[in-house]
Amino acid sequence: MPNSTCTFCSTDAIYTRENEGVSFCSKCLRQAVEEKVRKTITSNDMLEHDDRVAVGVSGGKDSLSLLRILVKLETRYPNSTITAISVDEGIKGYRDEALRIARKACEQLGVRHVVVSYRDLFGTTMDELSGMHLRQTPCSYCGVFRRKAINRAAAMIGATKIATAHNLDDEIQTVLLNMLHGDPYRAIRSGPVLRDPRGKFLPRIKPLCEIPEKQVVMYAYLNGFDFQTVACPHGHEALRNDIRNFLNQMEQKHPGTKFTFQSSAKRLRELTARTMQVSQLNECAKCGDPTPNQLCEACLMLEAITA
Ligand code: SF4
Ligand code: ZN
Ligand code: ZN
């Protein structure tokens, strides 16, 4: 329960950060979230004054919050541009609703909106794929295809950076998920900024990576966003759900657990950064995209589906 008054302005509080014992009213919470994002951007050198930023916008609370905050910050960088990119995975009754929300938000914010679809890029949809007997979960395919789709759209509009709306909870869930999948390299490769030292992929930035999911939900709610709340019918990532529940229980019993876990992952990343080898990249024999193998992951998946 929040303490009764805001720590900063003494009006009624609506939220308390248990680990710090700090309470916020609606206005101060929104300001605190925006300020934290600004600091994350600055301390990680995420943006240059003339960046052309492609923002992944799904129509959910995270991406709409990110878009709004970046648009607000953009006023300080008159030479930069922001374009929203939405991916239509072909999920009836789910994505079409989210795309409508994304389109409306972009109109309101005056942001150019580009939509790319799995149908156009890969000749299939998630609804079709989920009806097949696949070796991996639909989300595994969807994740690989989405990354590629956003890369394609960002290249198409001449972007210099890709911004995605992963929040703190997403980030630490992914670290633990990769550990439990036996892939420690992938677990520590992630981070606030992903730069390809070979310069083949656009840098990816995650400005919300230090904001807990709960605060993003409140930010979206307090700003009156119309965001999508229904779940994807194909999303049954059982392990991720268990990890989410586990981390939420830990946070409730031991406030500050999530931040501590994130800073441990950061230190581990710094320790291993010097010893990690950078693999050579080839051109994918099918689509020409950079890949350490002969075929990129998406083309390998598409080949397995059509075999
Ligand atoms: Fe794709 Fe899985 Fe997300 Fe659905 S839940 S949109 S299948 S990644
Ligand atoms: Zn206040
Ligand atoms: Zn390929």
Side-chain angles (χ1 to χ4, degrees), residues 14-66:
I14 55 155
Y15 177 74
T16 295
R17 273 188 200 151
E18 297 291 346
N19 58 319
E20 298 167 33
V22 179
S23 295
F24 298 89
C25 67
S26 159
K27 184 168 158 253
C28 293
L29 180 61
R30 279 179 287 158
Q31 278 177 354
V33 168
E34 289 167 6
E35 183 55 19
K36 181 78 180 163
V37 173
R38 192 192 63 74
K39 279 191 181 152
T40 303
I41 290 172
T42 309
S43 61
N44 290 284
D45 290 330
M46 286 185 175
L47 291 175
E48 314 285 331
H49 69 100
D50 56 353
D51 263 328
R52 295 185 296 280
V53 188
V55 188
V57 176
S58 66
K61 61 185 187 326
D62 302 280
S63 59
L64 294 178
S65 298
L66 174 64

Side-chain angles (χ1 to χ4, degrees), residues 271-291:
L271 280 173
T272 49
R274 270 166 278 143
T275 56
M276 284 210 268
Q277 290 197 346
V278 178
S279 56
Q280 291 295 315
L281 290 184
N282 311 309
E283 281 188 4
C284 171
K286 282 213 157 167
C287 73
D289 278 1
T291 170

Side-chain angles (χ1 to χ4, degrees), residues 62-167:
D62 302 280
S63 59
L64 294 178
S65 298
L66 174 64
L67 187 64
R68 184 193 162 96
I69 295 171
L70 289 181
V71 167
K72 273 186 124 177
L73 291 176
E74 194 202 11
T75 52
R76 301 181 193 187
Y77 301 94
N79 293 329
S80 66
T81 60
I82 290 177
T83 304
I85 293 180
S86 295
V87 179
D88 181 359
E89 302 95 341
I91 306 171
K92 227 175 170 8
Y94 169 71
R95 185 52 74 209
D96 28 15
E97 165 75 357
L99 287 174
R100 186 189 61 73
I101 293 171
R103 194 179 314 120
K104 194 173 137 208
C106 290
E107 275 168 19
Q108 283 169 350
L109 291 168
V111 171
R112 180 183 171 206
H113 187 212
V114 173
V115 182
V116 283
S117 73
Y118 287 1
R119 168 66 76 208
D120 288 344
L121 291 175
F122 311 118
T124 187
T125 65
M126 282 316 295
D127 283 342
E128 287 174 5
L129 283 177
S130 69
M132 299 177 185
H133 295 289
L134 304 169
R135 263 188 280 156
Q136 300 176 55
T137 64
C139 292
S140 307
Y141 291 83
C142 195
V144 170
F145 292 161
R146 184 180 303 111
R147 235 184 344 266
K148 196 176 184 77
I150 290 181
N151 278 340
R152 282 280 168 88
M156 203 169 78
I157 62 166
T160 53
K161 299 258 167 70
I162 296 172
T164 60
H166 297 89
N167 61 45

Side-chain angles (χ1 to χ4, degrees), residues 168-181:
L168 182 140
D169 291 63
D170 297 328
E171 286 297 280
I172 59 175
Q173 285 163 18
T174 302
V175 172
L176 208 46
L177 191 67
N178 285 316
M179 286 288 188
L180 296 177
H181 276 151

